[in-house]
Amino acid sequence: MATVDLKDVRKIYAGGVEAVKGVSIAIPDKALCVLVGPSGCGKSTLLRMIAGLETISAGTCSIDGKVVNSIGPTERDIAMVFQNYALYPHMKVYDNMAYGLRNRGMPKDEVDKRVRGTAQTLELEHLLERRPRELSGGQRQRVAMGRAIVRNPKVFLFDEPLSNLDAKLRGQMRVEIKSLQRKLGVTSVYVTHDQLEAMTLADVLVVMNAGLVEQLGAPLDIYEKPASTFVASFIGAPPMNLLPLRGGQLEDAITLPTVTGNATTIGFRPEDCEVGADGATSSDGLRLMANVEGVEPVGAESFLYCAAGGGKIVVRVAGRTEVQVGDQLPIFARREKLHFFGSDGKRV
Amino acid sequence: MAEPKALPPASGHDKLMIGQSVTGIYVAHAILILGIVIVAFPIYYTFVASTHSLQTILRPPLPLLPGDRFFENYAEALFGGVGRIGGVSVATLLFNTTVVALGIAIGKIIISLLSAYAIVFFRFPLRMTFFWLIFITLMLPVEVRILPTYKVMVDLGLIDTYTGLIVPLIASATATLLFRQFFLTIPGELVEAARVDGAGPWRFFWDILLPLSRTNIAALFVILFIYGWTQYLWPLLVTNRNDMNTIVIALRKMISFADADTEWHLVMVTSMLAIVPPILVVVLMQRWFVRGLVDTEK
């Protein structure tokens, strides 16, 4: 239905602070684009610029090929789901959903049809006569979604919509948002600081840091080939282990494969580690001794927190583990699972 | 180890708080009841006086029970007219005062709602200057500016008019500040949601801000109505004609220095009638009033 194109978009606040420093993203039709990054990285500002709630200091934002820089949020034909839902507290659920339609001068019976249809999709029919304060957090979230969907806009914008829900509900809603977005086929931009949400939801994942795009691509590509140490440590839970290389050497390393270029950091994911000497069938890989400082059994897997190679690493082992705090273990990571980063933090 | 047992259901004084004794409660009630009697007695006595003839009132002691002239006295005052204020009936006074009190209360609410709306939700040059200008007026009592205001009213020919009675009292920094504080608590997301939903400034004000301010408006209305009803200095200055007086001013005019010259029974009737409308407003709007003070519907 619509594409969203950002070209060198910048946001400079009156005080001279540059929140977004030139971001270009092309979101294809029907795709769900997730903006992820730590707080203060400019992702929410960017979303609000797409919404038209913030002015764009430089660059262009186009929706469906049309530059919308100077158009207000009403005319951009977007719908937004807010972090705190922003439901109108004095209106019934029905009126909350109908408000946007009525403001656009839609005839009454058409409004009624749309609202009831959407309520049915979201299983909200029995709540239509209630007020927001009589609803649970999850139900409010649904109403907020309903208010966006009922408008049938060109673009959905989500501003950390799940951050106020408990972990279980968050998981449920995540799946639901994804399937709903697929079904409706509406281009969406979704802002979150939760890397798990980002990984599972995104068709296009944009990792942002300090007002710039660190990496843009398919979630698994980013996971497998992080472009920088920032992305490596942000995407994945627990994050990638990063150890410093000094003069191409790693402290405590038993074997170290040829270092690519003049890398200063070596990285490997916790789940790419093999524990024990027998795991090391191939000699072409990183092998180092680790001191176990903590063990976290989670059930299906266990995490070993170790000191190794002049830093701290996390090792994931499947199922239960007999390893105890204080043990010394040989850790092995295959050559193809190693990542090298240069002194500027970029992948080499 | 003994299992913790469920306590037997409390009987008798189960509404006692911990550490309270029965005697304590009786003493407390006695003090409260005494307080009520002390506060209410003058009002009761006024009512009693309003039901006796002038002769009975002037010949002490005044009886403690109501007399038989309730209907005569009230009818005379309400519709007949009181001699000392040029034969104007209390009904006219009540009407004047109602117009003034309503005008002041509603006018103040509308003006302060609009100015608070402008100050909180719009960015315009000198916004904070305007805010401080409004704020500074709080520091000047009405009396300070009463002469220039009076001059303006005379020049505009507004003496003895409802406009002259209402307009100078209509601006309210207090109410503006109150609404400003309330508006500041409205989450920014709500404003943005309304913008995305296609509500312009006027629609946002009408559809969202106003309904959310309902309880505040009700509370403020009660306070301002009573404020307007009991205005003294300004109505005294700006009205000369007896039929444009408010009830408070007329009440003062009815009382002469010479006791025998004063129609005390009518004064008492007027006093009773003067407090009825404010009481009605408080009683009828009590639910809203309390809600406005204690919670906001958010």
Side-chain angles (χ1 to χ4, degrees):
Chain A
M1 287 201 280
T3 58
V4 175
D5 258 302
L6 302 174
K7 286 210 178 74
D8 199 30
V9 169
R10 284 164 199 273
K11 177 72 194 179
I12 303 157
Y13 283 108
V17 180
E18 202 170 0
V20 177
K21 302 170 183 167
V23 167
S24 302
I25 305 170
I27 304 166
D29 187 22
K30 294 181 186 168
L32 202 169
C33 167
V34 176
L35 306 178
V36 68
S39 53
C41 71
K43 57 189 191 299
S44 281
T45 312
L46 193 61
L47 187 80
R48 292 161 50 82
M49 283 196 281
I50 301 174
L53 297 169
E54 299 265 7
T55 53
I56 298 170
S57 308
T60 57
C61 168
S62 339
I63 294 174
D64 219 3
K66 194 174 131 209
V67 176
V68 294
N69 279 32
S70 54
I71 298 178
T74 311
E75 289 79 37
R76 289 195 188 188
D77 203 6
I78 48 119
M80 190 152 170
V81 178
F82 294 88
Q83 183 172 6
N84 297 309
Y85 320 135
L87 301 175
Y88 310 119
H90 58 292
M91 292 187 193
K92 289 173 182 163
V93 168
Y94 183 96
D95 298 310
N96 259 290
M97 289 168 69
Y99 189 61
L101 300 176
R102 286 183 190 144
N103 280 344
R104 283 170 173 76
M106 187 179 279
K108 222 174 165 181
D109 45 341
E110 173 73 11
V111 171
D112 190 68
K113 216 174 81 189
R114 291 266 282 265
V115 170
R116 293 194 188 281
T118 309
Q120 200 169 12
T121 322
L122 288 170
E123 293 161 31
L124 284 171
E125 291 150 301
H126 60 295
L127 301 175
L128 282 177
E129 293 305 310
R130 298 231 196 130
R131 279 174 212 281
R133 64 157 177 270
E134 297 159 344
L135 304 178
S136 68
Q139 288 169 332
R140 286 180 203 188
Q141 166 65 44
R142 266 168 195 280
V143 176
M145 296 268 300
R147 189 170 64 177
I149 292 169
V150 78
R151 290 249 322 276
N152 195 15
K154 279 187 189 152
V155 182
F156 281 144
L157 303 173
F158 297 91
D159 189 3
E160 308 203 15
L162 304 182
S163 56
N164 283 340
L165 301 179
D166 61 62
K168 193 179 160 203
L169 206 53
R170 200 181 306 160
Q172 271 174 24
M173 286 307 287
R174 202 169 62 213
V175 177
E176 209 161 316
I177 288 180
K178 181 79 183 167
S179 70
L180 209 57
Q181 193 267 342
R182 282 254 167 79
K183 197 166 79 187
L184 299 170
V186 176
T187 315
S188 305
V189 184
Y190 188 108
V191 162
T192 180
H193 60 260
D194 182 312
Q195 61 88 26
L196 180 67
E197 250 171 53
M199 289 292 293
T200 48
L201 283 174
D203 298 319
V204 181
L205 181 58
V206 180
V207 185
M208 289 186 67
N209 185 28
L212 285 168
V213 172
E214 282 278 333
Q215 194 172 5
L216 186 155
L220 284 175
D221 289 349
I222 291 180
Y223 184 81
E224 276 159 16
K225 277 195 161 49
S228 66
T229 49
F230 174 82
V231 178
S233 58
F234 197 83
I235 299 294
M240 182 184 284
N241 299 309
L242 297 169
L243 293 172
L245 291 171
R246 289 194 187 86
Q249 292 303 312
L250 179 67
E251 231 177 274
D252 300 339
I254 302 165
T255 62
L256 180 69
T258 339
V259 172
T260 321
N262 47 358
T264 55
T265 307
I266 185 169
F268 51 94
R269 298 246 172 229
E271 63 272 26
D272 293 335
C273 296
E274 292 161 39
V275 176
D278 55 321
T281 43
S282 160
S283 59
D284 191 19
L286 171 68
R287 191 194 300 273
L288 77 170
M289 288 305 287
N291 286 318
V292 180
E293 294 184 330
V295 180
E296 253 185 19
V298 200
E301 56 196 6
S302 305
F303 295 104
L304 310 178
Y305 292 83
C306 313
K312 303 279 181 196
I313 63 168
V314 186
V315 176
R316 178 193 170 276
V317 288
R320 295 171 184 227
T321 176
E322 301 299 315
V323 177
Q324 298 203 336
V325 175
D327 288 358
Q328 275 223 330
L329 296 172
I331 305 288
F332 180 75
R334 288 170 194 283
R335 174 71 185 85
E336 63 270 24
K337 299 287 186 190
L338 294 177
H339 308 260
F340 292 99
F341 302 96
S343 54
D344 55 351
K346 300 282 178 234
R347 184 182 192 85
V348 291
Chain B
M1 286 288 279
E3 290 275 308
K5 275 189 198 134
L7 289 169
S11 59
H13 298 281
D14 55 352
K15 287 192 179 108
L16 282 182
M17 277 189 254
I18 293 163
Q20 259 183 343
S21 72
V22 182
T23 351
I25 287 194
Y26 283 123
V27 171
H29 275 81
I31 293 174
L32 290 174
I33 289 166
L34 187 69
I36 291 173
V37 169
I38 291 173
V39 170
F41 184 74
I43 297 169
Y44 170 75
Y45 214 44
T46 310
F47 173 71
V48 169
S50 74
T51 57
H52 285 284
S53 68
L54 181 60
Q55 285 71 30
T56 325
I57 299 172
L58 288 178
R59 194 181 337 105
L62 182 69
L64 276 172
L65 290 175
D68 56 355
R69 297 183 53 88
F70 177 83
F71 290 106
E72 281 114 313
N73 284 353
Y74 279 77
E76 188 189 344
L78 270 176
F79 310 113
V82 183
R84 277 200 51 85
I85 52 168
V88 174
S89 68
V90 177
T92 312
L93 298 175
L94 280 174
F95 176 76
N96 288 348
T97 321
T98 309
V99 170
V100 171
L102 281 179
I104 290 176
I106 294 170
K108 266 181 191 276
I109 286 172
I110 291 174
I111 287 187
S112 45
L113 263 174
L114 290 176
S115 39
Y117 181 48
I119 284 173
V120 175
F121 290 103
F122 293 86
R123 304 277 166 274
F124 52 90
L126 300 181
R127 189 171 65 100
M128 284 319 278
T129 315
F130 283 112
F131 170 69
W132 282 107
L133 275 178
I134 295 173
F135 192 72
I136 282 170
T137 62
L138 265 184
M139 293 156 200
L140 295 171
V142 180
E143 290 74 12
V144 173
R145 56 178 170 86
I146 209 149
L147 281 175
T149 314
Y150 184 75
K151 175 81 167 68
V152 171
M153 289 298 122
V154 173
D155 290 350
L156 292 175
L158 290 175
I159 302 297
D160 282 329
T161 60
Y162 290 127
T163 320
L165 277 165
I166 294 169
V167 171
L169 295 174
I170 223 170
S172 170
T174 324
T176 308
L177 281 177
L178 190 113
F179 282 123
R180 172 182 180 264
Q181 291 314 110
F182 171 67
F183 288 169
L184 285 176
T185 66
I186 287 177
E189 281 193 350
L190 204 60
V191 185
E192 289 171 353
R195 281 180 70 192
V196 172
D197 262 347
W202 177 244
R203 289 220 87 131
F204 174 71
F205 180 73
W206 193 254
D207 291 344
I208 292 164
L209 217 48
L210 217 49
L212 288 178
S213 314
R214 258 187 338 219
T215 50
N216 283 41
I217 292 174
L220 208 58
F221 177 80
V222 173
I223 296 169
L224 294 178
F225 182 84
I226 293 168
Y227 166 85
W229 189 268
T230 56
Q231 274 303 303
Y232 184 77
L233 186 58
W234 183 250
L236 186 66
L237 281 176
V238 87
T239 56
N240 297 323
R241 272 166 40 205
N242 284 321
D243 63 340
M244 280 307 291
N245 279 337
T246 62
I247 198 159
V248 183
I249 303 304
L251 200 54
R252 195 205 55 85
K253 283 189 181 173
M254 283 180 197
I255 302 168
S256 160
F257 292 111
D259 229 6
D261 209 14
T262 307
E263 295 171 289
W264 282 112
H265 60 302
L266 297 184
V267 172
M268 294 303 157
V269 170
T270 314
S271 303
M272 288 315 290
L273 290 174
I275 61 175
V276 169
I279 289 178
L280 278 181
V281 167
V282 172
V283 169
L284 293 178
M285 299 193 74
Q286 195 168 34
R287 199 169 60 90
W288 286 97
F289 180 66
V290 174
R291 260 172 74 182
L293 291 182
V294 299
D295 72 27
T296 48
E297 197 181 327
K298 275 200 303 292

